[in-house]
Amino acid sequence: MYREKQLLQVFLLVNAVTAIKFGTYGREEGSLLMVYKSKGLEVRMLSRSFNPAEIRAAAEERTMICMQISIPKKTKRFVEQAQRESENAQDIYRAYQKDLMKLWLRTVLVYYGLLRMQIPRHLQV
């Protein structure tokens, strides 16, 4: 279960869920209502001792860890490749489009070949 982007709780479900709603149920604010495909109803509630401030603190700590990652400098090879791509952008795009059309044509030809084959009636979908 999540609140905004924070993971609050994990649990396993036995049946397929067809409807789900999180919100207030009676006087309880943190309630999760689930309707199962087998027409069952389940209500799960967050414990009253739940403290969202603890989760926010943990999330801020993870953010600080992510900020401390050092990003490597651009290598000479990367800069050369980026410059080549910017100078030859139109040629690269044309080559991409050509290869894409070849793939599309091959797919159509294979599909047409399959349509022309005599497939037994019991194997047809």
Side-chain angles (χ1 to χ4, degrees):
M1 182 173 7
Y2 286 88
R3 177 174 287 166
E4 295 176 7
K5 292 183 179 181
Q6 300 169 356
L7 178 64
L8 302 178
Q9 187 176 6
V10 177
F11 53 87
L12 299 175
L13 301 174
V14 179
N15 297 324
V17 176
T18 57
I20 191 166
K21 173 74 175 159
F22 182 79
T24 304
Y25 181 72
R27 292 186 294 169
E28 299 294 327
E29 289 188 18
S31 302
L32 180 68
L33 287 98
M34 295 174 284
V35 178
Y36 293 111
K37 192 173 185 177
S38 61
K39 304 212 177 8
L41 174 69
E42 183 175 353
V43 179
R44 293 196 179 216
M45 296 180 195
L46 287 174
S47 64
R48 291 183 181 201
S49 63
F50 171 72
N51 186 0
E54 294 173 3
I55 291 181
R56 284 192 200 104
E60 289 173 4
E61 182 179 322
R62 283 192 299 260
T63 305
M64 292 301 291
I65 291 171
C66 291
M67 288 181 181
Q68 294 173 358
I69 296 175
S70 61
I71 299 173
K73 294 182 179 180
K74 293 180 182 176
T75 63
K76 182 180 177 184
R77 176 74 180 139
F78 175 81
V79 173
E80 290 172 356
Q81 180 68 17
Q83 184 179 2
R84 185 186 77 80
E85 288 177 1
S86 65
E87 290 171 356
N88 302 318
Q90 290 182 344
D91 294 334
I92 293 171
Y93 180 73
R94 270 192 229 105
Y96 166 75
Q97 288 293 322
K98 182 180 175 183
D99 291 342
L100 187 62
M101 288 297 117
K102 283 182 181 179
L103 176 65
W104 180 81
L105 179 62
R106 181 156 172 74
T107 305
V108 168
L109 292 175
V110 169
Y111 181 69
Y112 179 70
L114 288 172
L115 288 177
R116 290 187 52 209
M117 288 175 51
Q118 293 295 329
I119 303 174
R121 199 77 153 147
H122 68 282
L123 293 178
Q124 291 180 353
V125 178

